[in-house]
Amino acid sequence: MQGIGRDTIARFLAEVGDIRQYRHPKQITKLAGLNLKTNSSGTHTGQTRITKRGRRRLLSSDDDVGR
């Protein structure tokens, strides 16, 4: 995949650690703060957004992929 180099992978693994400790990829997504949150109340369903509450360094290594 273009844009993912040695430095990006090193940052990712440094932040996540051993990926075998995670049973599902959604756990890594949640760790990065890229999981979805829906605001709802009763029968009203609001907007779905990305939480962005994860590890900042992991999020920034994700941003570097597109550059």
Side-chain angles (χ1 to χ4, degrees), residues 44-59:
H44 172 74
T45 303
Q47 253 184 341
T48 302
R49 297 177 181 221
I50 296 174
T51 61
K52 298 181 184 176
R53 300 182 90 188
R55 296 184 180 180
R56 292 291 162 212
R57 282 187 242 152
L58 190 55
L59 283 171

Side-chain angles (χ1 to χ4, degrees), residues 40-45:
S40 62
S41 175
T43 58
H44 172 74
T45 303

Side-chain angles (χ1 to χ4, degrees), residues 18-50:
D18 185 9
I19 59 174
R20 292 177 289 186
Q21 68 184 340
Y22 302 100
R23 294 178 186 226
H24 198 276
K26 285 186 178 183
Q27 291 177 304
I28 298 173
T29 304
K30 192 169 184 176
L31 181 70
L34 299 174
N35 52 320
L36 299 176
K37 177 185 174 193
T38 303
N39 294 326
S40 62
S41 175
T43 58
H44 172 74
T45 303
Q47 253 184 341
T48 302
R49 297 177 181 221
I50 296 174

Side-chain angles (χ1 to χ4, degrees), residues 1-5 8 64-67:
M1 180 183 272
Q2 187 176 3
I4 298 179
T8 303
D64 292 341
V65 171
R67 295 181 193 168

